[in-house]
């Protein structure tokens, strides 16, 4: 691989997250020679999507790499006397407190494997269920899988004996199931207490969710086993971070609002669209939160709730007045662009976005290398500019600009950085939180914080029509800013809206709540608010991109990409419209096209587009 790489580029991008992928595509589109590398075996970084077995493999990878640090001194031979090296991290520390729970029936058979799988991926051994999944994917004997699962359940010296412990390291998970999980009993005990709150919260939010046509019938709640999930694993596209509630008609048809409230709301929303033209209306409240500002307007508490949690969808405690007004204006401006909803959700999941930009970069000549790590950055001592990188093979590759994902920076470089955390949960359920007659494919629900120090939880529910889960199941993403571990932050909401699956309840058709078949909790690093000045001795031509933030959309990633691109290519347009398909010249046709144009229509030369980029077929980026 190293012998085949050129030794000189204009831009080297390290990491394939969304902002890095956009930058690589934009630079390549502008004629820059781009090298895009990632030590991972998949595109997207923490923005990636996985099949079910792929997710289990991702979990296993984090466990195995948690205590393994690969030492490679080949880079030292490439450092000259007037140069110094900035070592990069070989260990990803962005994921912590991983906990896996399986509630579906454990009926694994030796012939169970993922349907259509090209290869049998190893799965996570972080819990009994993950271990069994690995055995199933390998088509091992059922008895051996059971023995391995039982062995995995025995706590080691490093593991906590309490399933309630919040001091879990990044590589640790709980070994629980429907028989041993304390959450089952807790959910049953608290079900009567939280049932009314859950219903009111769900119904209020679902009233204002977008109406999306869905011709598929609501699937019956049949018994779904773990074997089915494994076998249909390729039907799942599970995002590590989920980015995707209402139209004007939905708001004003809501039974939750009186006619007087609807008039008040219309007047306020009209102001929000034009708020920048009326600074006197909000200048005095710029230093307060948006929640406090709403209290000063002629809005009832019910309307304040609607605006804050269902339209602006901003934090009640941290979002400023200006941030809230911007979010509300953006929401209103997005209505009607593609139907009634202001949101677009990509089929097959959020992970398709970084991949599409990777493909775009490759189309315009960018070179991609997965499973290709970078040992260090080479810095000139005199100019303090980065000159090159040294990869895992000891090859020195020169470039003018360097873009790097935050997770690749070492502890020495990030010693002064204070990171926030995001709490995430991914659930596979057998039913929807909405009413049975709902026709929605993507549902968004905001559950406000109940106590001081906690944060509102955003719930995104996806049905099989989004191509993210198998038929008869729903994929649910829960997200909030972290105050504790992910399970501690999110479990209260999970217990309100869902109930753990048990074989006894499976036969009871009167179960009101959707049942959880499988659950994953983890904390993810949020570096979106980190200033460049926080990093130690970073050369001016090295640009750092953050991972995912807690917001619903991808605004921060796009803004990062545009800012970095303008520094690299100050006189170029950021992601211009693609060329007309008729203007694209395929390889091997350029000479024939030139002859044809010069001999047949020479008078059109003055109108020929300035761009002469030769494009190939849009294929998967090479690894």
């Amino acid at each position: 691989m190293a012998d085949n790489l050129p030794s000189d580029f204009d831009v080297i991008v390290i990491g394939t997250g969304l902002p890095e992928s956009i930058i690589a595509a934009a630079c390549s589109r502008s004629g820059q020679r781009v090298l895009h590398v990632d030590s991972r075996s998949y595109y997207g970084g923490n923005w990636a999507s996985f099949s079910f077995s792929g997710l289990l493999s991702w979990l296993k990878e984090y466990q195995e790499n948690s205590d393994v640090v690969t030492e490679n001194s080949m880079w030292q031979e490439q450092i000259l006397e007037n140069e110094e090296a900035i070592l990069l991290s070989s260990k990803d520390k962005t994921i912590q407190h991983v906990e896996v729970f399986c509630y579906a029936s454990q009926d694994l058979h030796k012939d169970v494997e993922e349907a259509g799988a090209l290869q049998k991926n190893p799965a996570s051994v972080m819990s009994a269920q993950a271990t069994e999944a690995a055995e199933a994917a390998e088509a091992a004997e059922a008895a051996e899988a059971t023995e391995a699962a039982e062995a995995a359940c025995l706590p080691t010296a490093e593991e906590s004996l309490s399933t309630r412990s919040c001091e879990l390291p990044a590589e640790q998970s709980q070994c629980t199931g429907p028989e041993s999980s304390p959450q089952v009993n807790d959910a049953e005990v608290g079900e009567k207490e939280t049932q009314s709150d859950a219903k009111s919260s769900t119904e209020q939010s679902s009233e204002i969710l977008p109406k999306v046509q869905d011709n598929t019938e609501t699937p019956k709640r049949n018994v779904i086993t773990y074997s089915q999930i494994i076998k249909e694993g390729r039907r799942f596209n599970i995002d590590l971070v989920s980015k995707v509630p209402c139209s004007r008609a939905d708001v004003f048809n809501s039974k939750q609002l009186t006619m007087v409230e609807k008039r008040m709301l219309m007047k306020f929303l009209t102001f929000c669209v034009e708020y920048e033209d009326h600074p006197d209306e909000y200048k005095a409240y710029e230093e307060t939160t948006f929640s406090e500002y709403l209290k000063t307007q002629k809005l009832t508490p019910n309307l304040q709730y609607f605006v804050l949690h269902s339209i602006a969808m901003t934090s009640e405690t941290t979002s400023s007045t200006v941030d809230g007004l911007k979010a509300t204006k953006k929401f209103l401006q997005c209505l009607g662009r593609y139907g009634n909803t202001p949101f677009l959700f990509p089929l097959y999941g959020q992970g398709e976005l970084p991949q599409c930009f990777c493909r775009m970069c490759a189309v315009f000549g960018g070179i991609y290398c997965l499973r290709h790590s970078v040992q260090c950055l080479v810095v000139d001592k005199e100019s303090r500019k980065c000159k090159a990188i040294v990869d895992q093979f000891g090859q020195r590759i020169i470039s003018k600009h360097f873009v790097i994902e935050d997770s690749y920076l070492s502890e020495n470089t990030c010693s002064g950085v204070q990171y926030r955390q995001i709490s995430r949960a991914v659930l596979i359920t057998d039913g929807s939180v909405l009413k049975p007659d709902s026709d929605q494919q993507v549902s968004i629900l905001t559950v406000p914080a109940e106590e001081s120090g906690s944060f509102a939880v955003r719930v995104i529910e996806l049905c099989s029509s989004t191509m993210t889960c198998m038929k008869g199941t729903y994929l649910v993403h829960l997200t909030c800013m972290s105050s504790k571990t992910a399970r501690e932050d999110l479990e209260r909401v999970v217990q309100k809206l869902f109930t753990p699956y048990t074989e006894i309840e499976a036969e009871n058709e009167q179960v009101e709540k959707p049942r959880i078949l499988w659950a994953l909790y983890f904390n993810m690093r949020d570096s979106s608010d980190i200033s460049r000045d926080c990093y130690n001795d970073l050369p001016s031509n090295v640009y750092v991109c953050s991972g995912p933030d807690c917001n619903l959309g991808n605004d921060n990633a796009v803004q990062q990409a545009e800012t970095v691109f303008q520094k690299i290519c100050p006189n170029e347009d950021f992601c211009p419209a693609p060329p007309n398909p008729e203007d694209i010249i395929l390889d091997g046709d350029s000479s024939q096209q030139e002859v044809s144009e010069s001999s047949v229509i020479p008078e059109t030369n003055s109108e020929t587009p300035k761009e002469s980029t030769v494009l190939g077929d849009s294929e998967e980026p090479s690894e």
Side-chain angles (χ1 to χ4, degrees):
M1 177 72 72
D3 295 337
N4 297 329
L5 282 179
S7 60
D8 189 4
F9 290 87
D10 296 316
V11 182
I12 293 179
V13 181
I14 305 173
T16 55
L18 183 56
E20 303 92 73
S21 299
I22 296 175
I23 294 169
C27 289
S28 181
R29 176 74 174 84
S30 298
Q32 303 290 313
R33 297 169 299 158
V34 177
L35 172 64
H36 202 168
V37 298
D38 199 327
S39 62
R40 305 177 181 93
S41 60
Y42 52 88
Y43 292 101
N46 284 351
W47 307 79
S49 294
F50 298 97
S51 67
F52 188 73
S53 65
L55 182 64
L56 297 179
S57 297
W58 174 80
L59 292 170
K60 180 180 180 181
E61 180 179 327
Y62 267 93
Q63 181 197 33
E64 292 179 343
N65 294 341
S66 59
D67 295 321
V68 177
V69 178
T70 304
E71 296 292 340
N72 190 338
S73 60
M74 297 178 65
W75 60 269
Q76 298 177 354
E77 303 173 0
Q78 299 294 331
I79 308 301
L80 305 180
E81 293 183 1
N82 63 335
E83 299 171 342
E84 62 183 36
I86 298 180
L87 293 179
L88 300 184
S89 176
S90 59
K91 179 180 177 182
D92 190 345
K93 299 181 180 180
T94 60
I95 305 296
Q96 297 180 340
H97 309 303
V98 179
E99 300 183 67
V100 181
F101 300 89
C102 183
Y103 302 98
S105 176
Q106 303 288 306
D107 62 338
L108 294 176
H109 301 288
K110 64 179 181 179
D111 58 342
V112 176
E113 61 182 28
E114 189 177 84
L118 297 179
Q119 60 181 11
K120 298 177 182 179
N121 295 324
S124 171
V125 295
M126 300 176 65
S127 66
Q129 293 73 34
T131 302
E132 291 174 353
E135 297 295 335
E138 296 288 347
E141 296 293 335
E144 295 178 2
T146 303
E147 294 177 2
E150 293 174 352
C153 285
L154 297 177
T156 63
E158 293 80 19
E159 293 177 333
S160 170
L161 295 176
S162 172
T163 58
R164 290 288 182 185
S165 173
C166 63
E167 301 297 330
L168 293 173
E171 69 276 12
Q172 198 171 34
S173 177
Q174 300 302 323
C175 180
T176 57
E179 296 82 6
S180 59
S181 174
Q183 286 84 344
V184 177
N185 294 330
D186 292 346
E188 292 173 350
V189 172
E191 183 173 345
K192 293 183 179 180
E193 299 176 0
T194 61
Q195 185 71 23
S196 59
D197 295 337
K199 283 187 177 180
S200 61
S201 176
T202 304
E203 290 173 358
Q204 182 170 6
S205 296
S206 64
E207 283 290 334
I208 57 175
L209 291 171
K211 304 300 181 185
V212 182
Q213 291 186 353
D214 185 3
N215 296 326
T216 59
E217 297 181 358
T218 303
K220 296 181 180 180
R221 297 175 68 176
N222 297 325
V223 176
I224 298 177
T225 65
Y226 195 53
S227 294
Q228 290 176 273
I229 297 177
I230 292 294
K231 187 174 183 180
E232 298 292 329
R234 290 178 66 84
R235 300 289 183 183
F236 290 89
N237 285 283
I238 303 174
D239 296 321
L240 295 184
V241 56
S242 185
K243 305 281 187 174
V244 197
C246 72
S247 69
R248 173 176 170 175
D250 293 325
V251 171
F252 293 101
N253 287 334
S254 174
K255 298 178 182 179
Q256 303 293 330
L257 302 179
T258 66
M259 287 303 299
V260 175
E261 286 180 316
K262 292 175 182 179
R263 294 191 191 99
M264 296 168 63
L265 178 60
M266 184 62 186
K267 184 177 180 179
F268 178 74
L269 296 181
T270 301
F271 159 72
C272 289
V273 174
E274 304 172 345
Y275 81 93
E276 294 169 315
D277 298 332
H278 306 282
D280 295 339
E281 297 289 333
Y282 64 90
K283 277 292 184 182
Y285 304 97
E286 285 185 332
E287 302 301 324
T288 64
T289 64
F290 187 50
S291 177
E292 292 296 324
Y293 172 73
L294 291 176
K295 295 177 182 178
T296 68
Q297 303 302 298
K298 296 180 180 180
L299 300 174
T300 64
N302 197 28
L303 285 179
Q304 295 174 29
Y305 177 93
F306 264 65
V307 173
L308 186 66
H309 295 294
S310 300
I311 296 180
M313 289 182 287
T314 57
S315 170
E316 188 171 357
T317 57
T318 61
S319 295
S320 68
T321 296
V322 176
D323 290 339
L325 290 173
K326 285 182 179 178
T328 303
K329 178 180 178 179
K330 181 177 180 181
F331 179 94
L332 296 172
Q333 288 179 329
C334 292
L335 286 172
R337 296 268 182 121
Y338 296 93
N340 289 332
T341 173
F343 296 105
L344 291 176
F345 182 81
L347 291 178
Y348 303 99
Q350 163 77 16
E352 292 297 298
L353 295 182
Q355 287 202 55
C356 78
F357 284 102
C358 289
R359 293 186 182 102
M360 178 179 174
C361 179
V363 164
F364 286 98
I367 296 179
Y368 278 81
C369 294
L370 294 181
R371 297 183 292 275
H372 197 103
S373 62
V374 176
Q375 299 298 309
C376 67
L377 305 176
V378 181
V379 180
D380 183 82
K381 291 182 179 180
E382 183 176 350
S383 66
R384 300 306 305 167
K385 291 288 189 71
C386 186
K387 301 168 59 177
I389 63 170
V390 179
D391 67 8
Q392 66 194 59
F393 303 104
Q395 180 181 1
R396 179 176 172 132
I397 306 174
I398 301 172
S399 182
K400 301 173 185 176
H401 304 277
F402 302 82
V403 180
I404 184 170
E405 181 188 320
D406 172 271
S407 64
Y408 283 93
L409 298 176
S410 67
E411 293 184 356
N412 291 334
T413 304
C414 302
S415 60
V417 177
Q418 295 293 326
Y419 292 109
R420 298 182 301 187
Q421 297 288 326
I422 301 171
S423 291
R424 290 277 291 115
V426 179
L427 312 178
I428 300 175
T429 68
D430 69 346
S432 173
V433 295
L434 300 182
K435 298 177 181 178
D437 59 349
S438 173
D439 60 353
Q440 299 179 70
Q441 297 169 312
V442 180
S443 307
I444 304 176
L445 171 68
T446 300
V447 182
E450 292 184 348
E451 57 186 35
S452 177
S454 62
F455 299 91
V457 177
R458 183 177 67 248
V459 183
I460 299 178
E461 181 185 76
L462 308 172
C463 73
S464 58
S465 298
T466 63
M467 314 303 285
T468 59
C469 55
M470 61 180 278
K471 188 174 182 179
T473 65
Y474 290 79
L475 190 64
V476 183
H477 294 272
L478 295 91
T479 307
C480 73
M481 292 299 301
S482 299
S483 58
K484 302 176 183 178
T485 66
R487 182 159 67 94
E488 291 174 311
D489 285 337
L490 301 172
E491 193 172 41
R492 65 177 180 86
V493 177
V494 172
Q495 291 178 349
K496 278 186 176 183
L497 301 178
F498 307 95
T499 186
Y501 178 96
T502 65
E503 294 187 17
I504 297 177
E505 291 177 346
E507 301 176 359
N508 182 9
E509 297 181 357
Q510 302 301 320
V511 177
E512 296 185 8
K513 295 182 182 180
R515 296 172 298 205
I516 306 172
L517 302 170
W518 187 86
L520 166 66
Y521 296 89
F522 62 92
N523 290 92
M524 177 183 290
R525 177 194 292 178
D526 179 5
S527 56
S528 60
D529 65 336
I530 303 301
S531 170
R532 178 188 174 84
D533 298 333
C534 296
Y535 300 106
N536 300 326
D537 301 325
L538 207 59
S540 60
N541 61 335
V542 175
Y543 312 99
V544 181
C545 292
S546 73
D549 60 8
C550 198
N551 295 326
L552 184 61
N554 293 308
D555 293 19
N556 185 64
V558 176
Q559 291 172 1
Q560 284 186 73
E562 183 172 8
T563 299
V564 172
F565 173 79
Q566 294 298 343
K567 293 179 179 179
I568 297 175
C569 306
N571 300 320
E572 298 288 341
D573 293 332
F574 175 66
C575 290
N580 190 314
E582 296 179 357
D583 297 332
I584 298 178
I585 303 174
L586 300 178
D587 290 334
D589 294 341
S590 57
S591 59
Q592 181 178 354
Q593 182 73 13
E594 291 175 359
V595 173
S596 175
E597 289 181 352
S598 61
S599 59
V600 179
I601 47 173
E603 65 276 7
T604 61
N605 287 344
S606 61
E607 298 179 2
T608 302
K610 294 181 180 180
E611 296 172 322
S612 60
T613 306
V614 178
L615 306 182
D617 294 334
S618 178
E619 299 177 345
E620 287 283 347
S622 59
E623 299 179 1

